[in-house]
Amino acid sequence: MAESAPAFKTQMVWKSVQELVLNGDELPENYIHKDRDGGDLDVPLVEIPVVNLGQLKSLSTSKEELQKLRSALSTWGCFQVINHGMTPSFLDEVREVTKQFFALPMEEKRKYSREADGIEGYGNDKILSEKQILNWSDRLYITLNPEQRKLKFWPENPKVFRDILNDYTIKLSIVTAVILTAMARSLDLEDNCFLDQYGKEATMRAGFNYYPKCPRPDLVIGLEEHADASAITFLLQDNEVEGLQFQKDNQWFKVPIIPEALLIIVGDQTEIMSNGIFKSPVHKVVTNSERERISLSVFCLPGLNEEIGPIDRLVDESRPRLYKKVKNYVGIYFEYYQQGKRAIEAVKI
Ligand SMILES: O=C(O)CCC(=O)C(=O)O
Ligand SMILES: [Fe+2]
């Protein structure tokens, strides 16, 4: 039994942010930013366009829609997509199972806990140093591709969780191909040039994020500023509570909520493939003292054995090669992330 186990055998049990809040614990020191604040909720809105996926899909893709896409990806590095084949009620179901999972009793959620050396499962920040400032969020990470799934991390409660996530995976894979093709067309490239590097063994990894109410949004961050390691990320936002902000020209901008839309974020690997034309934006999540927030990120990651590099046709005298070729970018990403540095710097020429 745990109580009688010798001290050297007892493992430190990690604490969820949710538990800190439920226990009414005092705000622990290691969540408090001392060198700067947690961020402002009241910042200007990002001016990102809403792109109609129906228009991108057709063979004679509208020039105007492609132009909109190109401009969004090369300025903000993100856009909202509508008409993506998922109904608003389906997206609400995805949000609902996310909320229901985090509302389960702690011992039920702990059945899906991340293992010490793993990535997948339920947990929050790995504590790597005493000085580390932690994010005010709990997360559940799951690999979605059928052939790479570890079902032990797929919640069985709520009952419909697995079916809904499976449906979401199928629908997102279709949308991914449409978007990667449209990205190529928007740069007048061959349809498959992003898709080929993305590869057939690409991984889709879901991160279900839960940001509890926070007593001190002025001092605490929901998710520290970062850029994504993916090729692209799909973000399903909470349909009522804002929190996500993007950085541009040293200023922060908040993302508006469009409940029926998915937010697409350019990840570092697309910035590399596009030789820097498309931007992988720095973003963060601020906390909120009044309301909790959920979101679901799906990271589309090129296959581990795929070599990623600037597409040849995007390299010329006027635009020299900016990045080296790289395999397993995610490995580099984590190494750099832990040191608080941007991984893309490591592959710059
Ligand atoms: O919760 C959000 O809105 C953003 C999450 C995010 O940036 C991430 O999971 O990488
Ligand atoms: Fe992100």
Side-chain angles (χ1 to χ4, degrees), residues 74-87:
S74 48
T75 53
W76 290 99
C78 63
F79 63 97
Q80 310 247 32
V81 67
I82 52 162
N83 199 7
H84 41 55
M86 289 175 249
T87 60

Side-chain angles (χ1 to χ4, degrees), residues 139 141 207-211 223-224 226-229 233-238 241-246 255 263 265 283-285 293-299 333:
R139 277 154 253 145
Y141 279 114
F208 296 80
N209 308 303
Y210 174 66
Y211 305 92
L223 187 59
E224 183 57 285
H226 67 283
D228 291 349
T233 304
F234 289 98
L235 188 79
L236 181 66
Q237 291 204 82
D238 195 297
V241 185
E242 291 173 348
L244 176 62
Q245 300 188 355
F246 283 86
V255 179
L263 179 77
I265 306 173
H283 52 285
K284 68 174 181 183
V285 179
R293 175 176 184 270
I294 53 109
S295 69
L296 169 55
S297 319
V298 174
F299 305 101
Y333 182 89

